[in-house]
Amino acid sequence: MEPYLPLLEGGALDDGVVRLTPMAPGDAADYHAMLAEPSVAAYSVTPPASLEDAYRRCRYTGYWWLSGQRAEMAVRDAGSGAFAGHIQLMQVAPVLGQAMIGYSLLPGFRGRGFMTRAVELVVGWAFARTALHRIVAGTDVGNAASHAVLERAGFRREGVHRKLLPRPDGTRADDVQWARLRPA
């Protein structure tokens, strides 16, 4: 029996510009540095992680994937292989046929369509290889760049959860909810 979140054919998703590979321990330093980047940390809902925490997360990725809990991938420049960011399919709920997508991108790779491509690759893979019929995303109301990514990737805004997301300064932000449905 194939796992609910099957492994990537050929070990990656690739469109010639962006390559997505399963996160691995070798990605921990880049992942940790990305999370510490101020423009990424500003929209993070989790406290800053240590390098050890990042390593542990990268080490557990295979288990989480095979157990159907989440799929975590490094976003890479397809030409150079450089680490550009992170994307994940998480909160997988087979009974609902729903999962949540989340992502972060290093500033040096922004403005070139990398994250839109990465989101399209993950959603395309999920709809082609799993029983998921709905992919959702939650974004800080002030994160216009993430809103634009989701719109370009075919997501529709569904609503707002008021004061849901904790911010690093102790305040809370509204959470704009998005969804993309499996094509009929």
Side-chain angles (χ1 to χ4, degrees):
M1 179 169 86
E2 191 166 311
Y4 194 81
L5 296 175
L7 298 177
L8 303 177
E9 291 179 23
L13 297 173
D14 192 319
D15 70 359
V17 175
V18 171
R19 177 176 297 125
L20 305 179
T21 60
M23 290 283 283
D27 295 315
D30 289 329
Y31 178 72
H32 179 257
M34 180 192 68
L35 293 179
E37 207 291 317
S39 64
V40 172
Y43 294 114
S44 177
V45 295
T46 57
S50 67
L51 180 56
E52 182 179 310
D53 292 335
Y55 178 76
R56 185 178 305 107
R57 182 173 182 161
C58 290
R59 196 175 70 230
Y60 291 159
T61 296
Y63 166 76
W64 291 330
W65 196 312
L66 290 174
S67 66
Q69 296 178 54
R70 63 171 51 175
E72 294 202 46
M73 295 169 239
V75 178
R76 301 186 184 287
D77 178 294
S80 69
F83 182 92
H86 168 260
I87 191 165
Q88 62 181 325
L89 199 60
M90 60 191 169
Q91 297 180 6
V92 177
V95 71
L96 298 176
Q98 176 177 287
M100 176 180 270
I101 196 166
Y103 47 81
S104 299
L105 193 66
L106 287 166
F109 293 92
R110 294 181 189 158
R112 301 179 355 202
F114 267 56
M115 195 48 71
T116 299
R117 288 171 173 276
V119 169
E120 289 172 341
L121 284 168
V122 169
V123 171
W125 167 80
F127 287 156
R129 301 288 318 275
T130 75
L132 293 170
H133 80 94
R134 179 178 163 85
I135 310 291
V136 299
T139 59
D140 186 297
V141 69
N143 194 342
S146 190
H147 300 169
V149 164
L150 292 166
E151 287 174 349
R152 285 190 302 267
F155 283 71
R156 290 196 175 170
R157 184 180 166 145
E158 291 197 327
V160 176
H161 291 136
R162 295 177 34 226
K163 304 294 182 198
L164 177 68
L165 302 174
R167 287 188 168 157
D169 66 2
T171 62
R172 291 195 168 266
D174 290 348
D175 174 35
V176 179
Q177 288 291 299
W178 302 81
R180 182 165 162 192
L181 305 178
R182 176 188 294 276

